[in-house]
Amino acid sequence: MITYTFLQHYWCFIVSLLGALLVFLLFVQGANSCIRSLGWTEEGRRLVINSTGRKWEFTFTTLVTFGGAFFASFPLFYSTSFGGAYWLWMLILFTFVLQAVSYEFQNKLGNFLGPRTFQFFLVLNGLLGPLLLGGAVATFFEGSNFIIEKNNLIDAGAVTPIISRWANASHGLDALLNPWVLVFGLAVMFLARTLGILYVMNNVNDEDIRSRGSVRLVGAAVPFVVLFVAYLIHLLVKDGYAWDPATGAIFMEPYKYLHNFIQMWPLLIIFIIGVALVLYGIGKEIVNSKSSNSKCNGIWPAGIGTVLTVLPLLLCSAWNHTAYYPSTADLQSSLTIANSCSSEFTLRTMFYVSFLVPFVLAYIVYCWRKIDAKKLTKEEIKTDHAY
């Protein structure tokens, strides 16, 4: 029997899966942040841009779908985070809009700003996009400065019937003052750069870019590993935000996220496999970089590993009676999958609609294979359809 509790956990899984896929697809941003270091010449830079230009719509669509799924399944989170921390989310969306505009207009006739201006915008999106998204995800563990007042909906004396409000005027930017939020954000940024370099080396048939990529890969992978390990240790030893299913009360539990991994051991196994695949994909490319016959396909184990790493990490922030969006201003305002979800009717209806997701994923895989059926070459960027 499909219960309300099952539906809450199911949609938490779906949203987390979309988030994990989004982190993988940030390889577009990661590669764009390396435009000038991978493409030493103007022709080389256009090769990198056209390589990522084939995939940027997938990242943008996944970001929108991720937000839409959160809105439909956990509307109180959507109104609290997107409505309260709007400066943080506006910066994220602004960088992605810059990306879309830059792809389309950098080589258009009448571009008085010049191609290099839009290439700079792509680099800006490549750096800030993953950094800010990583910072937003880190607040699932570190908390945000908001207050929930559900009584405002029924209180006739309330000035405005607003459920949630931010406790200060920064509206989300204060999260970036937390050093651990920055550590996680930087880890995501360097992960995106690592995946971006791996993707371009696989997608572009150019020896100069591949040779440069093997050197840049080390420079991106080492900071990622150091930052990720540092944050993982911090996460496992810190106090976490738990809630009592009987009363709904939020309380601090020592080693909460470590307990989550131990008590939900299948997630721990998936997490370990994911980390191993990411390291294998990176190491394989570094070891094979000196071989001219290398196929440069490290992006696939690293990409799958990224999804398998991020998915259990996100689930550990919400499952096992954990507050997935903690409040640092008022502990009892923290959001859980039980107190922030949609009605049972809504979740149940969406549950049946979600059966269409595999068909959508199959279509994406089909389009991906068609787009990448042939490696990108210098001859292709001379066509009218090149960016």
Side-chain angles (χ1 to χ4, degrees), residues 197-225:
I197 294 169
L198 289 172
Y199 175 76
V200 171
M201 291 175 66
N202 172 263
N203 184 246
V204 176
N205 186 14
D206 184 82
E207 287 303 320
D208 182 56
I209 286 180
R210 288 188 173 185
S211 63
R212 290 181 179 280
S214 62
V215 177
R216 272 46 179 191
L217 180 60
V218 176
V222 171
F224 157 65
V225 172

Side-chain angles (χ1 to χ4, degrees), residues 265-280:
W265 57 266
L267 293 185
L268 177 60
I269 294 176
I270 295 172
F271 179 80
I272 293 174
I273 292 173
V275 171
L277 283 173
V278 172
L279 295 177
Y280 170 74

Side-chain angles (χ1 to χ4, degrees), residues 85-370:
Y86 57 81
W87 283 124
L88 178 60
W89 287 107
M90 284 295 290
L91 278 176
I92 293 172
L93 293 175
F94 178 70
T95 62
F96 276 86
V97 171
L98 272 183
Q99 177 200 53
V101 172
S102 299
Y103 275 122
E104 297 300 330
F105 288 96
Q106 61 180 301
N107 290 308
K108 292 286 187 181
L109 292 176
N111 171 20
F112 65 93
L113 294 176
R116 293 202 172 189
T117 300
F118 288 105
Q119 289 177 9
F120 169 76
F121 289 157
L122 288 176
V123 173
L124 188 67
N125 168 253
L127 294 172
L128 289 182
L131 174 64
L132 295 175
L133 277 173
V137 171
T139 61
F140 292 172
F141 303 101
E142 304 300 325
S144 293
N145 205 1
F146 64 90
I147 297 174
I148 302 293
E149 297 173 326
K150 292 185 178 181
N151 289 334
N152 280 354
L153 287 179
I154 58 176
D155 185 3
V159 178
T160 54
I162 298 174
I163 296 178
S164 56
R165 62 181 176 85
W166 217 250
N168 57 42
S170 69
H171 292 289
L173 296 181
D174 54 312
L176 300 177
L177 298 178
N178 185 329
W180 286 112
V181 169
L182 288 177
V183 167
F184 191 83
L186 288 170
V188 173
M189 186 192 76
F190 280 107
L191 172 62
R193 285 172 69 91
T194 301
L195 294 174
I197 294 169
L198 289 172
Y199 175 76
V200 171
M201 291 175 66
N202 172 263
N203 184 246
V204 176
N205 186 14
D206 184 82
E207 287 303 320
D208 182 56
I209 286 180
R210 288 188 173 185
S211 63
R212 290 181 179 280
S214 62
V215 177
R216 272 46 179 191
L217 180 60
V218 176
V222 171
F224 157 65
V225 172
V226 172
L227 290 165
F228 180 74
V229 170
Y231 189 82
L232 182 61
I233 294 173
H234 159 73
L235 181 66
L236 295 179
V237 301
K238 77 185 295 286
D239 293 346
Y241 299 82
W243 61 279
D244 186 344
T247 63
I250 315 293
F251 61 94
M252 302 301 298
E253 178 181 324
Y255 306 105
K256 173 60 177 172
Y257 303 107
L258 176 60
H259 294 163
N260 283 357
F261 270 122
I262 294 174
Q263 293 167 9
M264 298 185 292
W265 57 266
L267 293 185
L268 177 60
I269 294 176
I270 295 172
F271 179 80
I272 293 174
I273 292 173
V275 171
L277 283 173
V278 172
L279 295 177
Y280 170 74
I282 296 171
K284 176 179 181 295
E285 214 61 81
I286 293 175
V287 171
N288 294 337
S289 61
K290 296 181 180 180
S291 174
S292 58
N293 296 324
S294 174
K295 295 183 179 180
C296 298
N297 54 7
I299 179 61
W300 302 121
I304 295 171
T306 297
V307 175
L308 295 181
T309 300
V310 176
L311 175 59
L313 198 62
L314 291 176
L315 290 176
C316 273
S317 72
W319 282 3
N320 198 34
H321 304 135
T322 310
Y324 71 88
Y325 199 48
S327 172
T328 56
D330 175 27
L331 187 61
Q332 299 311 313
S333 292
S334 302
L335 301 185
T336 69
I337 60 174
N339 68 14
S340 64
C341 65
S342 294
S343 67
E344 182 176 359
F345 173 79
T346 301
L347 294 182
R348 188 179 296 275
T349 302
M350 294 194 304
F351 171 75
Y352 295 114
V353 174
S354 69
F355 291 161
L356 298 174
V357 171
F359 297 98
V360 177
L361 290 177
Y363 176 74
I364 292 174
V365 171
Y366 172 79
C367 293
W368 188 299
R369 291 178 62 87
K370 284 293 184 181

